[in-house]
Amino acid sequence: MPMLKDPSTKYKPYTPVNLPDRQWPSRVTTTAPIWLSTDLRDGNQALANPMSIEQKTRFFRQLVKCGLKEIEVAYPAASETDFGFVRGLIEGGEVPDDVWVQVLTPARADLIKRTFESIAGCKNVIIHMYNATAPLFREVVFRNSKEQTIALAVDHTVLVRKLVEEYEQKYGTNFRYEYSPELFTQTEPAFAVEICDKVKEAWARAGTERMKRIIFNLPSTVEIAPPNHYADQIEYFCRHVSERGKILVSLHPHNDRGQGIAAAELGLLGGADRIEGCLFGNGERTGNVDLVTLALNQYSQGVDPGLDFSDIQSVIDTVVYCNDIPVHPRHPYAGELVFTAFSGSHQDAIKKGFESQNRLWSEAERTGGNKYWNMPYLPLDPADLGCTYEAVIRVNSQSGKGGIAYLVKQSLELDLPRKLQISFYAVIQELSEKTGKEMRVEDIVQAFCGTYFYRAPGISLPVTGGLVTMKDGRLDLKSFRFYHGSNAEPMELPEAGVVLDEHRRIVAKVSVDGQVRILRGEGNGPLSALLDSLRANLDLDFQIREYSEHAIGQGAKVLAASYVQVVEQLPGQSSGEGKTYWGVGVDSDIAGSGLKAVISAVNSALRASERKLPEDKKGILYDAKISVGVVEVAKDLKASLGYEVPSRMQRVLFEILQSIGETEGALDSRRVSEVFDAAFVRHDLVTPKPYTFPPTNGMSINGTDEDAAPLKLSLKSFNLKALEQGARQFSGTILFASSNGKGETRTVQGEGNGPLSALLSGLHEHITQRMTIRDFHGHSLGQGSEVMAASYVELVLESEEDQDPARELQIGSLTNFTVGSWQKRLVADEEREAAEGRKKKVMSSWGVAKDVDITASGLQAVLNAANGLNLTLV
């Protein structure tokens, strides 16, 4: 339906306030209001995906860091999640002594009582109660008269007062009371004053001291009029309410007409003391008023807002992460483009402004005067918010240069991030000024490839004779391989005995000044692992400052493009202070493109410094056969020995073979078999670790730890007895052999759900540690009368502070060797433990055994695995 020619037939205008002697237009704001953040309540309820407890906690900490002293944290009676969050803040000690926690409740007795339960034990609490007062809601929604509406507010205020007195005596809590006549701007001004006077009378605790004053929050729940009307309403209220000295008038503007900021600023002139809002204006519909903009508006006028946005990027990061809503590029003070001049004339004015200001500031410093900010197009100094001048002077510098980024995208299909556009434009500008020529597309492409060591299709390095001499960088990534551990925290090195989960370890083959070398490193992801390898092997210390990526093409031939900005950490510099370099990488694999981009950026740094890199002390290359991959090694073992190595075990085996291959060179099937037997059957293999951790006791995997005690267990005889409900009883003799050659045969007895768990139960009577089965596989070897059973067991040795009951595994025949239901339980347990944030400190070890008897093979595999766990006898 089209817009009406005469909208007055459908929409009524607002009714002006009769205030002919209004005073607010002649007032000027000289002090900051009291600020309250309602991000965690009003802001959160407006999100498509409400914040998790972790996100809310992070947001709360950010608000405290910014200097908010009053924070509305929840509507606790609305859900168990909100209730639990409030309890978590209090019981977790998250609330500083000078911060007031505000909780919201409607005028309902049961919800008010539940709200008080949520804040038990908190030091400073504001109880915020509301009920709707506008005629539309009184008459249509609730069908209440004015008298009934007042009675509702008064009766429940009396209840709040009673509970306040009870909780003050019981917990010593400091209480304040806030009442909101909801939809204040649509309520008759005289009735709003009347109901607030009645509430204040029922509260009967209001005093003239600031912390004793009752708070009347006057929300523009829906913005239905211009901001001057809101100012009139606020001034009317302040002039007509009784005992104004016992009241804090609070504003809660929404932004339906896009005038929330103006309404709040004019409302302060109307006499308000306090403002409720959200960082960057999140909230229902078009949002709440933006506290950041309000505070920085005051700051830019020389008024201390009492809030700290010195690191505004960290505030942006928190809000975007928690709200899952981006900050608009044009958002005041915080948007990516707010300190950007696209126009050439604007850039010229800003540059001249900086030149003039530098002179004025030098004079002010000499005379002891104030260094006033007076800059064309920039009302606030970006440095005050933790921003740099780089964007101001150079951002979008391609203006008037033909759209450099557009040409790169059209020619190379690379969509450069904005900061890289700025960096590359400086290259083009320098070339243009140097040659005095107009830059052609071919020149731009060649300059891009030469600057970032990028091998574009159709271009091979080196290239000479153009504007840029293009050659290979000093580093060239030839190949790489990642290894995964278990249960590692991001960016933390492993403690002794910890099995890593998400931690990444890289072994990369890199050409360094023409010599192929092996670099090893570790990190919480591919890029950090590569940077660690460069730091450890080549004394190149870089950190990632910016990273972005996108796809090139579609379908099976899609490629990944990555862009990395690194900052070099030189001796004596703080983190992030060094010079920055950009790199570009394209590959069919996203990890590969990121690694290439890092190498590209580091090559730029090496070109700038021409430094000498450390020589390779080892000069070891991988044997080609081993580098083909873990699957191929497993196939060789199956072909030569018949072993079908489980996938989890394959990774452990492969790392051991990699370490041996570095010192021995080529490994044939015979040597692989010897290594397999020594590592998983005898547990007497000694080999260098694939890379070095910081000094710890190390992580023992299958006898590779040189510090591991060589206690060996072997099965001499056993007997199994069936018990009720399928349980088994194990009794047998086991040889416990020590490193000095002495051995002791002991009788071992235990019960469990199956043979293996029964054996473990018995072993726990003879060793000080506790083991559980993490994985089990088995299969048959050979055919006919010569058939044997092969068993593979992974044991986990748990620390004393985190022992779970042993997971039981039942086996009885070859058909039971695939234990899907047990594996599903294990996965479910691991997911639950991860969700609960539990960290297990464990060691793991694999054992392999074969025997004509299926049960014997499984039992001996358990003992072989135990031989790699540094066990201690009782």
Side-chain angles (χ1 to χ4, degrees), residues 107-108 112 129-135 137-139 142-159 177 179-182 187-203 216:
R108 275 183 49 184
I112 290 173
M129 191 189 80
Y130 71 95
N131 67 312
T133 56
F137 279 69
R138 293 198 314 260
E139 298 164 6
F142 299 109
R143 298 181 181 179
N144 283 342
S145 65
K146 287 184 177 181
E147 292 75 17
Q148 289 172 317
T149 302
I150 291 175
L152 182 70
V154 168
D155 291 346
H156 289 89
T157 296
V158 171
L159 174 61
Y177 182 46
Y179 171 71
S180 290
E182 190 184 15
T187 301
E188 306 94 320
F191 181 62
V193 170
E194 180 184 2
I195 194 170
C196 286
D197 276 339
K198 294 295 186 180
V199 166
K200 176 162 57 66
E201 182 181 348
W203 175 239
F216 286 137

Short mmCIF file of all heavy atoms in Angstrom, two decimals, residues 107-108 112 129-135 137-139 142-159 177 179-182 187-203 216:
data_model
loop_
_atom_site.label_atom_id
_atom_site.label_comp_id
_atom_site.label_asym_id
_atom_site.label_seq_id
_atom_site.Cartn_x
_atom_site.Cartn_y
_atom_site.Cartn_z
N ALA A 107 5.69 -4.87 38.68
CA ALA A 107 4.93 -4.76 39.92
C ALA A 107 4.08 -6.01 40.13
O ALA A 107 2.86 -6.00 39.98
CB ALA A 107 4.07 -3.50 39.89
N ARG A 108 4.74 -7.11 40.46
CA ARG A 108 4.09 -8.38 40.79
C ARG A 108 4.78 -8.98 42.00
O ARG A 108 6.02 -9.12 42.02
CB ARG A 108 4.17 -9.36 39.62
CG ARG A 108 3.08 -9.18 38.58
CD ARG A 108 3.19 -10.22 37.48
NE ARG A 108 3.32 -11.58 38.01
CZ ARG A 108 3.52 -12.66 37.23
NH1 ARG A 108 3.59 -12.50 35.91
NH2 ARG A 108 3.63 -13.84 37.77
N ILE A 112 8.75 -9.97 42.43
CA ILE A 112 9.57 -9.11 43.30
C ILE A 112 10.31 -9.97 44.32
O ILE A 112 11.51 -9.77 44.56
CB ILE A 112 8.67 -8.07 44.01
CG1 ILE A 112 8.15 -7.06 43.00
CG2 ILE A 112 9.44 -7.37 45.13
CD1 ILE A 112 7.12 -6.10 43.57
N MET A 129 11.63 -1.17 39.86
CA MET A 129 10.27 -1.68 39.62
C MET A 129 9.55 -0.76 38.63
O MET A 129 9.77 0.45 38.61
CB MET A 129 9.48 -1.74 40.92
CG MET A 129 8.16 -2.50 40.80
SD MET A 129 7.12 -2.35 42.27
CE MET A 129 6.40 -0.73 42.01
N TYR A 130 8.69 -1.36 37.82
CA TYR A 130 7.97 -0.55 36.84
C TYR A 130 6.54 -1.06 36.70
O TYR A 130 6.22 -2.20 37.01
CB TYR A 130 8.66 -0.62 35.47
CG TYR A 130 8.52 -1.97 34.79
CD1 TYR A 130 7.50 -2.19 33.86
CD2 TYR A 130 9.38 -3.02 35.09
CE1 TYR A 130 7.35 -3.43 33.24
CE2 TYR A 130 9.24 -4.25 34.47
CZ TYR A 130 8.23 -4.45 33.55
OH TYR A 130 8.08 -5.68 32.94
N ASN A 131 5.66 -0.17 36.23
CA ASN A 131 4.37 -0.57 35.68
C ASN A 131 3.95 0.47 34.65
O ASN A 131 4.38 1.63 34.70
CB ASN A 131 3.31 -0.74 36.78
CG ASN A 131 2.94 0.56 37.45
OD1 ASN A 131 3.82 1.32 37.85
ND2 ASN A 131 1.65 0.81 37.62
N ALA A 132 3.15 0.06 33.67
CA ALA A 132 2.76 0.93 32.57
C ALA A 132 1.74 1.96 33.05
O ALA A 132 0.79 1.64 33.77
CB ALA A 132 2.19 0.11 31.43
N THR A 133 1.93 3.22 32.63
CA THR A 133 1.05 4.30 33.09
C THR A 133 0.34 5.03 31.96
O THR A 133 -0.54 5.86 32.22
CB THR A 133 1.88 5.32 33.89
OG1 THR A 133 2.96 5.80 33.07
CG2 THR A 133 2.45 4.69 35.15
N ALA A 134 0.71 4.78 30.70
CA ALA A 134 0.14 5.52 29.57
C ALA A 134 -1.33 5.12 29.36
O ALA A 134 -1.73 3.98 29.62
CB ALA A 134 0.93 5.24 28.31
N PRO A 135 -2.16 6.04 28.88
CA PRO A 135 -3.58 5.72 28.66
C PRO A 135 -3.80 4.53 27.75
O PRO A 135 -4.70 3.71 27.99
CB PRO A 135 -4.12 7.01 28.02
CG PRO A 135 -3.20 8.08 28.45
CD PRO A 135 -1.85 7.44 28.59
N PHE A 137 -2.08 1.85 27.41
CA PHE A 137 -1.89 0.60 28.14
C PHE A 137 -2.88 0.46 29.29
O PHE A 137 -3.34 -0.64 29.58
CB PHE A 137 -0.44 0.52 28.65
CG PHE A 137 0.53 0.06 27.60
CD1 PHE A 137 0.85 0.87 26.53
CD2 PHE A 137 1.12 -1.19 27.67
CE1 PHE A 137 1.73 0.46 25.56
CE2 PHE A 137 2.00 -1.63 26.70
CZ PHE A 137 2.32 -0.79 25.63
N ARG A 138 -3.19 1.56 29.96
CA ARG A 138 -4.18 1.48 31.04
C ARG A 138 -5.53 1.00 30.50
O ARG A 138 -6.18 0.14 31.09
CB ARG A 138 -4.37 2.86 31.69
CG ARG A 138 -3.19 3.38 32.45
CD ARG A 138 -3.60 4.51 33.41
NE ARG A 138 -4.48 5.51 32.82
CZ ARG A 138 -4.09 6.69 32.37
NH1 ARG A 138 -2.81 7.03 32.43
NH2 ARG A 138 -4.98 7.55 31.88
N GLU A 139 -5.93 1.56 29.37
CA GLU A 139 -7.28 1.32 28.88
C GLU A 139 -7.39 0.10 27.97
O GLU A 139 -8.41 -0.58 27.96
CB GLU A 139 -7.77 2.56 28.14
CG GLU A 139 -7.84 3.80 29.02
CD GLU A 139 -7.94 5.09 28.24
OE1 GLU A 139 -8.07 5.01 27.00
OE2 GLU A 139 -7.89 6.18 28.85
N PHE A 142 -4.31 -3.31 30.01
CA PHE A 142 -4.59 -3.77 31.37
C PHE A 142 -6.01 -3.45 31.86
O PHE A 142 -6.45 -4.01 32.85
CB PHE A 142 -3.57 -3.14 32.34
CG PHE A 142 -2.15 -3.51 32.03
CD1 PHE A 142 -1.25 -2.58 31.51
CD2 PHE A 142 -1.70 -4.81 32.24
CE1 PHE A 142 0.04 -2.93 31.22
CE2 PHE A 142 -0.40 -5.17 31.95
CZ PHE A 142 0.48 -4.22 31.44
N ARG A 143 -6.68 -2.51 31.18
CA ARG A 143 -8.03 -2.11 31.57
C ARG A 143 -8.09 -1.68 33.03
O ARG A 143 -8.94 -2.11 33.80
CB ARG A 143 -9.03 -3.24 31.28
CG ARG A 143 -9.11 -3.61 29.80
CD ARG A 143 -10.11 -4.71 29.55
NE ARG A 143 -10.16 -5.07 28.13
CZ ARG A 143 -10.94 -6.01 27.61
NH1 ARG A 143 -11.75 -6.71 28.39
NH2 ARG A 143 -10.91 -6.26 26.31
N ASN A 144 -7.17 -0.82 33.39
CA ASN A 144 -7.10 -0.27 34.74
C ASN A 144 -7.44 1.21 34.71
O ASN A 144 -7.12 1.92 33.75
CB ASN A 144 -5.70 -0.43 35.33
CG ASN A 144 -5.42 -1.84 35.81
OD1 ASN A 144 -6.35 -2.62 36.01
ND2 ASN A 144 -4.15 -2.17 36.00
N SER A 145 -8.04 1.68 35.77
CA SER A 145 -8.25 3.10 35.94
C SER A 145 -6.96 3.74 36.46
O SER A 145 -6.00 3.05 36.84
CB SER A 145 -9.37 3.34 36.93
OG SER A 145 -9.00 2.87 38.23
N LYS A 146 -6.95 5.08 36.54
CA LYS A 146 -5.79 5.76 37.11
C LYS A 146 -5.59 5.32 38.56
O LYS A 146 -4.47 5.09 39.01
CB LYS A 146 -5.98 7.27 37.04
CG LYS A 146 -5.82 7.88 35.65
CD LYS A 146 -5.92 9.40 35.72
CE LYS A 146 -5.71 10.02 34.35
NZ LYS A 146 -5.79 11.50 34.39
N GLU A 147 -6.70 5.22 39.29
CA GLU A 147 -6.61 4.84 40.70
C GLU A 147 -6.04 3.44 40.86
O GLU A 147 -5.22 3.18 41.76
CB GLU A 147 -8.00 4.93 41.35
CG GLU A 147 -8.56 6.33 41.48
CD GLU A 147 -9.05 6.90 40.14
OE1 GLU A 147 -9.25 6.10 39.19
OE2 GLU A 147 -9.21 8.13 40.03
N GLN A 148 -6.48 2.53 40.00
CA GLN A 148 -5.95 1.15 40.08
C GLN A 148 -4.47 1.10 39.70
O GLN A 148 -3.69 0.34 40.28
CB GLN A 148 -6.77 0.25 39.14
CG GLN A 148 -8.17 -0.03 39.62
CD GLN A 148 -8.99 -0.77 38.59
OE1 GLN A 148 -8.96 -0.45 37.40
NE2 GLN A 148 -9.75 -1.76 39.05
N THR A 149 -4.08 1.93 38.74
CA THR A 149 -2.67 1.98 38.33
C THR A 149 -1.80 2.50 39.47
O THR A 149 -0.71 1.97 39.74
CB THR A 149 -2.52 2.87 37.08
OG1 THR A 149 -3.34 2.36 36.03
CG2 THR A 149 -1.07 2.91 36.62
N ILE A 150 -2.29 3.55 40.16
CA ILE A 150 -1.54 4.07 41.31
C ILE A 150 -1.47 3.03 42.42
O ILE A 150 -0.41 2.81 43.03
CB ILE A 150 -2.20 5.37 41.82
CG1 ILE A 150 -2.02 6.49 40.78
CG2 ILE A 150 -1.61 5.78 43.16
CD1 ILE A 150 -2.75 7.78 41.15
N ALA A 151 -2.60 2.36 42.70
CA ALA A 151 -2.62 1.36 43.77
C ALA A 151 -1.63 0.23 43.48
O ALA A 151 -0.97 -0.27 44.40
CB ALA A 151 -4.04 0.80 43.92
N LEU A 152 -1.54 -0.17 42.21
CA LEU A 152 -0.60 -1.22 41.84
C LEU A 152 0.83 -0.81 42.16
O LEU A 152 1.61 -1.59 42.75
CB LEU A 152 -0.74 -1.53 40.34
CG LEU A 152 0.15 -2.64 39.79
CD1 LEU A 152 -0.31 -4.00 40.32
CD2 LEU A 152 0.11 -2.64 38.26
N ALA A 153 1.19 0.42 41.83
CA ALA A 153 2.55 0.89 42.09
C ALA A 153 2.80 1.05 43.58
O ALA A 153 3.87 0.67 44.10
CB ALA A 153 2.78 2.21 41.36
N VAL A 154 1.83 1.61 44.29
CA VAL A 154 2.01 1.87 45.71
C VAL A 154 2.09 0.57 46.52
O VAL A 154 2.98 0.39 47.36
CB VAL A 154 0.86 2.76 46.24
CG1 VAL A 154 0.86 2.80 47.77
CG2 VAL A 154 0.97 4.17 45.67
N ASP A 155 1.15 -0.34 46.30
CA ASP A 155 1.13 -1.59 47.05
C ASP A 155 2.44 -2.37 46.88
O ASP A 155 2.97 -2.93 47.86
CB ASP A 155 -0.04 -2.46 46.61
CG ASP A 155 -1.39 -1.86 47.01
OD1 ASP A 155 -1.40 -0.94 47.86
OD2 ASP A 155 -2.43 -2.31 46.47
N HIS A 156 2.95 -2.41 45.67
CA HIS A 156 4.17 -3.19 45.44
C HIS A 156 5.41 -2.43 45.89
O HIS A 156 6.44 -3.05 46.18
CB HIS A 156 4.26 -3.60 43.97
CG HIS A 156 3.26 -4.66 43.61
ND1 HIS A 156 1.99 -4.35 43.17
CD2 HIS A 156 3.31 -6.02 43.66
CE1 HIS A 156 1.32 -5.47 42.95
NE2 HIS A 156 2.09 -6.50 43.24
N THR A 157 5.35 -1.11 45.95
CA THR A 157 6.44 -0.35 46.56
C THR A 157 6.53 -0.66 48.05
O THR A 157 7.63 -0.80 48.61
CB THR A 157 6.24 1.16 46.34
OG1 THR A 157 6.30 1.44 44.94
CG2 THR A 157 7.31 1.97 47.07
N VAL A 158 5.37 -0.79 48.70
CA VAL A 158 5.35 -1.17 50.11
C VAL A 158 6.00 -2.54 50.30
O VAL A 158 6.77 -2.76 51.25
CB VAL A 158 3.91 -1.16 50.65
CG1 VAL A 158 3.85 -1.77 52.05
CG2 VAL A 158 3.35 0.25 50.64
N LEU A 159 5.71 -3.48 49.40
CA LEU A 159 6.34 -4.81 49.47
C LEU A 159 7.85 -4.71 49.29
O LEU A 159 8.62 -5.35 50.02
CB LEU A 159 5.73 -5.73 48.41
CG LEU A 159 6.38 -7.11 48.28
CD1 LEU A 159 6.27 -7.89 49.59
CD2 LEU A 159 5.74 -7.90 47.14
N TYR A 177 16.18 2.55 45.56
CA TYR A 177 14.93 2.17 44.89
C TYR A 177 14.72 3.04 43.66
O TYR A 177 14.87 4.27 43.72
CB TYR A 177 13.75 2.30 45.85
CG TYR A 177 12.41 1.89 45.27
CD1 TYR A 177 12.27 0.69 44.55
CD2 TYR A 177 11.28 2.68 45.44
CE1 TYR A 177 11.05 0.31 44.03
CE2 TYR A 177 10.04 2.29 44.93
CZ TYR A 177 9.93 1.10 44.21
OH TYR A 177 8.72 0.73 43.70
N TYR A 179 11.89 3.65 40.50
CA TYR A 179 10.55 3.38 39.96
C TYR A 179 10.43 4.01 38.58
O TYR A 179 10.82 5.16 38.37
CB TYR A 179 9.46 3.94 40.87
CG TYR A 179 8.08 3.87 40.23
CD1 TYR A 179 7.43 2.65 40.05
CD2 TYR A 179 7.45 5.03 39.75
CE1 TYR A 179 6.19 2.58 39.43
CE2 TYR A 179 6.21 4.97 39.13
CZ TYR A 179 5.58 3.74 38.96
OH TYR A 179 4.37 3.67 38.33
N SER A 180 9.87 3.22 37.62
CA SER A 180 9.66 3.70 36.26
C SER A 180 8.19 3.70 35.92
O SER A 180 7.56 2.62 35.90
CB SER A 180 10.41 2.81 35.25
OG SER A 180 11.79 2.97 35.34
N PRO A 181 7.60 4.86 35.64
CA PRO A 181 6.28 4.89 35.02
C PRO A 181 6.45 4.57 33.54
O PRO A 181 6.74 5.47 32.73
CB PRO A 181 5.80 6.32 35.27
CG PRO A 181 7.06 7.13 35.38
CD PRO A 181 8.11 6.21 35.92
N GLU A 182 6.34 3.31 33.20
CA GLU A 182 6.64 2.88 31.83
C GLU A 182 5.79 3.65 30.82
O GLU A 182 4.64 3.96 31.08
CB GLU A 182 6.39 1.37 31.68
CG GLU A 182 6.90 0.83 30.37
CD GLU A 182 6.58 -0.64 30.17
OE1 GLU A 182 5.72 -1.15 30.91
OE2 GLU A 182 7.16 -1.26 29.27
N THR A 187 2.42 9.25 28.69
CA THR A 187 1.57 9.42 29.86
C THR A 187 1.26 10.91 30.08
O THR A 187 2.11 11.77 29.83
CB THR A 187 2.28 8.86 31.11
OG1 THR A 187 2.56 7.47 30.90
CG2 THR A 187 1.42 9.01 32.36
N GLU A 188 0.06 11.22 30.56
CA GLU A 188 -0.27 12.60 30.88
C GLU A 188 0.74 13.14 31.89
O GLU A 188 0.99 12.51 32.92
CB GLU A 188 -1.67 12.71 31.48
CG GLU A 188 -2.76 12.07 30.63
CD GLU A 188 -3.05 10.63 31.03
OE1 GLU A 188 -2.08 9.90 31.33
OE2 GLU A 188 -4.22 10.25 31.07
N PRO A 189 1.38 14.29 31.62
CA PRO A 189 2.42 14.80 32.53
C PRO A 189 1.95 14.92 33.97
O PRO A 189 2.70 14.56 34.89
CB PRO A 189 2.76 16.17 31.93
CG PRO A 189 2.43 16.04 30.47
CD PRO A 189 1.23 15.14 30.41
N ALA A 190 0.75 15.40 34.18
CA ALA A 190 0.26 15.55 35.55
C ALA A 190 0.08 14.21 36.24
O ALA A 190 0.36 14.07 37.45
CB ALA A 190 -1.06 16.33 35.55
N PHE A 191 -0.38 13.19 35.51
CA PHE A 191 -0.57 11.88 36.12
C PHE A 191 0.78 11.23 36.43
O PHE A 191 0.93 10.54 37.45
CB PHE A 191 -1.38 10.98 35.19
CG PHE A 191 -1.62 9.61 35.76
CD1 PHE A 191 -2.35 9.44 36.93
CD2 PHE A 191 -1.09 8.47 35.15
CE1 PHE A 191 -2.56 8.19 37.47
CE2 PHE A 191 -1.30 7.22 35.68
CZ PHE A 191 -2.04 7.07 36.84
N ALA A 192 1.79 11.46 35.56
CA ALA A 192 3.13 10.93 35.85
C ALA A 192 3.65 11.51 37.16
O ALA A 192 4.25 10.80 37.98
CB ALA A 192 4.07 11.25 34.69
N VAL A 193 3.43 12.81 37.36
CA VAL A 193 3.87 13.43 38.62
C VAL A 193 3.08 12.84 39.79
O VAL A 193 3.66 12.52 40.85
CB VAL A 193 3.66 14.96 38.55
CG1 VAL A 193 3.89 15.58 39.94
CG2 VAL A 193 4.61 15.58 37.54
N GLU A 194 1.78 12.68 39.63
CA GLU A 194 0.94 12.17 40.71
C GLU A 194 1.37 10.77 41.15
O GLU A 194 1.52 10.51 42.36
CB GLU A 194 -0.53 12.15 40.27
CG GLU A 194 -1.47 11.63 41.35
CD GLU A 194 -2.91 11.53 40.87
OE1 GLU A 194 -3.17 11.83 39.67
OE2 GLU A 194 -3.78 11.14 41.67
N ILE A 195 1.56 9.86 40.22
CA ILE A 195 1.89 8.48 40.60
C ILE A 195 3.28 8.41 41.23
O ILE A 195 3.50 7.64 42.19
CB ILE A 195 1.75 7.52 39.39
CG1 ILE A 195 1.76 6.06 39.87
CG2 ILE A 195 2.85 7.74 38.37
CD1 ILE A 195 1.40 5.07 38.78
N CYS A 196 4.20 9.24 40.76
CA CYS A 196 5.54 9.23 41.36
C CYS A 196 5.51 9.79 42.78
O CYS A 196 6.21 9.29 43.67
CB CYS A 196 6.51 10.01 40.48
SG CYS A 196 6.98 9.14 38.96
N ASP A 197 4.72 10.82 43.00
CA ASP A 197 4.58 11.34 44.36
C ASP A 197 4.03 10.27 45.31
O ASP A 197 4.47 10.13 46.45
CB ASP A 197 3.68 12.57 44.36
CG ASP A 197 4.43 13.85 44.02
OD1 ASP A 197 5.67 13.86 44.18
OD2 ASP A 197 3.78 14.83 43.60
N LYS A 198 3.04 9.50 44.83
CA LYS A 198 2.44 8.44 45.66
C LYS A 198 3.47 7.34 45.95
O LYS A 198 3.53 6.80 47.06
CB LYS A 198 1.22 7.86 44.96
CG LYS A 198 0.06 8.83 44.81
CD LYS A 198 -0.54 9.24 46.15
CE LYS A 198 -1.78 10.10 45.95
NZ LYS A 198 -2.37 10.51 47.24
N VAL A 199 4.27 7.00 44.96
CA VAL A 199 5.30 5.96 45.15
C VAL A 199 6.34 6.45 46.16
O VAL A 199 6.77 5.69 47.05
CB VAL A 199 5.96 5.61 43.80
CG1 VAL A 199 7.25 4.81 44.02
CG2 VAL A 199 5.00 4.82 42.93
N LYS A 200 6.75 7.70 46.05
CA LYS A 200 7.74 8.25 46.99
C LYS A 200 7.19 8.23 48.41
O LYS A 200 7.90 7.90 49.37
CB LYS A 200 8.12 9.67 46.58
CG LYS A 200 9.06 10.38 47.54
CD LYS A 200 9.73 11.57 46.88
CE LYS A 200 8.70 12.55 46.36
NZ LYS A 200 7.92 13.17 47.47
N GLU A 201 5.92 8.57 48.55
CA GLU A 201 5.29 8.54 49.87
C GLU A 201 5.25 7.12 50.43
O GLU A 201 5.52 6.90 51.62
CB GLU A 201 3.87 9.11 49.76
CG GLU A 201 3.12 9.17 51.08
CD GLU A 201 1.71 9.72 50.92
OE1 GLU A 201 1.40 10.27 49.84
OE2 GLU A 201 0.91 9.59 51.86
N ALA A 202 4.94 6.14 49.58
CA ALA A 202 4.90 4.74 50.03
C ALA A 202 6.29 4.22 50.36
O ALA A 202 6.46 3.40 51.28
CB ALA A 202 4.24 3.88 48.96
N TRP A 203 7.29 4.68 49.64
CA TRP A 203 8.68 4.26 49.89
C TRP A 203 9.14 4.77 51.25
O TRP A 203 9.77 4.03 52.02
CB TRP A 203 9.57 4.77 48.76
CG TRP A 203 11.03 4.52 48.92
CD1 TRP A 203 12.02 5.45 48.97
CD2 TRP A 203 11.71 3.26 49.04
NE1 TRP A 203 13.26 4.87 49.10
CE2 TRP A 203 13.09 3.51 49.16
CE3 TRP A 203 11.27 1.95 49.09
CZ2 TRP A 203 14.03 2.51 49.30
CZ3 TRP A 203 12.20 0.92 49.23
CH2 TRP A 203 13.56 1.21 49.34
N PHE A 216 13.52 8.24 40.01
CA PHE A 216 12.37 8.16 39.11
C PHE A 216 12.91 8.13 37.68
O PHE A 216 13.46 9.13 37.20
CB PHE A 216 11.42 9.34 39.31
CG PHE A 216 10.61 9.24 40.57
CD1 PHE A 216 10.40 10.35 41.39
CD2 PHE A 216 10.03 8.03 40.94
CE1 PHE A 216 9.65 10.24 42.55
CE2 PHE A 216 9.28 7.92 42.11
CZ PHE A 216 9.10 9.02 42.91
#
